Amino acid sequence: MQYRTLGRTGIKVSPYALGALMFASSIGNPDHEDSVRIIHKALDAGINFIDTADAYGDSEEVVGKALKGRRDNVVLATKVSRPMSDDPNEQGASRRWIMKAVENSLRRLGTDHIDLYQIHRLDPATDVEETLSALTDLIRAGKVRAVGTSTAPASDIVEAQWVAERRGLERFRTEQPPYSILNRVIEREVLPVTQRYGMGTLVWGPFAQGLLTGRVRKNQENTLRRAAFVKHVSDERRVDAVEQLIPLAAEAGMPMTHLAMAFAVAHPGVTSALIGPRTMDHLDDLLGGLDVALSDDVLDRIDEIVPPGTEIGSLDQDYVPPALRDVRLRRRPLSERAA
């Protein structure tokens, strides 16, 4: 395993990071002991970075159980801000909620500190200075080592960096955006910005939520579990692109999963790509691609299918700014609309 530095934190992490969403009983592997075995095998293979979130059901408890006796050798990341109940104050990025949520995560993880604490989604209702101030206090208290964001637009990343500098606060050290062969839009602004500020970038969704596993083919039944509730995995434009990538992977002598992961970690702005195995077989397949490096010819062919900085379709989980979500922010009152 060739470890990479997580931005300018000095922390060394593996290019493959273990995402723990699939260890949540309700949506992933229902067998805690099996999940623990999967985590242990990933650690034994040299993966030293585990990423989870408070909103991932019982994932934090499973990860905490797996790390007993091995915590010191793992870079542990979790997230906050997604709703944890119907209470409007048990979500978001306010100081009030962050201070409570971090204690809950520490308890579930069975640890006294979190190596990387990330804001799952920036909260437009909370001043970023308020969020950074709370996170700064957690770092000074020794409960958190570094802080980051997830799926933040480039403009918000820049604003947060400037606020941290002006106010003397800890700054976001990482960003966790979606990135795959089919979703390359972060190459346009997000990756250049994170590189400019020396941030680590931990990409999620390198398999485009299952489309880049080779299991989805044109004019065949889509057997992905997500197909029942996620629209983009049935997008014909995306499936057409996959049909061009499958023979490319075959010519390169590798399965689609290896092509997808090798692409994700080849970008100089990407520190690690998150894998989310649900079973031991899934993990074994992915570990088989650790030594794969894509040639310039293969990367050029990928650029022809999906040009740099573009995406085919859009993810259901894509960030949608308030200005687009809230109709009131894009329509004047009726009485003011006429010229």
Side-chain angles (χ1 to χ4, degrees), residues 79-130:
K79 311 182 198 73
V80 62
S81 83
R82 285 293 182 88
M84 293 298 287
S85 74
D86 293 333
D87 186 330
N89 285 314
E90 291 195 339
Q91 59 185 281
S94 68
R95 170 179 286 272
R96 183 181 190 275
W97 175 234
I98 286 173
M99 292 304 186
K100 181 179 179 181
V102 73
E103 297 296 341
N104 292 337
S105 286
L106 289 169
R107 184 187 70 254
R108 288 189 291 260
L109 290 164
T111 185
D112 63 355
H113 72 280
I114 294 164
D115 295 301
L116 176 63
Y117 199 41
Q118 302 156 102
I119 303 300
H120 213 150
R121 295 291 186 274
L122 287 174
D123 179 8
T126 304
D127 193 318
V128 70
E129 181 179 345
E130 171 86 357

Side-chain angles (χ1 to χ4, degrees), residues 1 7 21 33 81 111 126 138 141 150 169 191 254 288 300 304:
M1 192 73 70
L21 175 61
E33 294 303 323
S81 83
T111 185
T126 304
L138 291 181
S150 176
L169 300 171
L191 286 176
M254 66 184 72
D300 288 343
E304 292 172 2

Side-chain angles (χ1 to χ4, degrees), residues 214-223 234 239 243 246:
R215 291 173 53 194
V216 179
R217 301 300 303 269
K218 192 173 179 66
N219 300 322
Q220 294 183 16
E221 182 183 2
N222 190 332
T223 61
S234 300
V239 175
E243 287 295 322
I246 287 175

Side-chain angles (χ1 to χ4, degrees), residues 178-191 237-238 241 263 267 302-315 318:
Y179 185 56
S180 74
I181 294 174
L182 301 181
N183 296 89
R184 303 182 58 176
V185 72
I186 66 168
E187 294 173 345
R188 187 175 296 274
E189 290 188 348
V190 171
L191 286 176
R237 296 167 298 173
R238 294 164 72 82
F263 170 84
H267 194 289
I302 291 174
D303 286 349
E304 292 172 2
I305 297 169
V306 184
T310 67
E311 62 182 355
I312 299 177
S314 59
L315 297 174
D318 265 356

Side-chain angles (χ1 to χ4, degrees), residues 19-31:
L21 175 61
M22 287 294 105
F23 301 139
S25 303
S26 59
I27 60 174
N29 192 330
D31 186 336

Side-chain angles (χ1 to χ4, degrees), residues 276-299:
R278 182 172 53 85
T279 68
M280 193 68 79
D281 286 343
H282 291 165
L283 178 63
D284 287 339
D285 169 55
L286 297 174
L287 293 178
L290 285 173
D291 295 329
V292 173
L294 301 183
S295 68
D296 288 341
D297 289 341
V298 171
L299 291 171

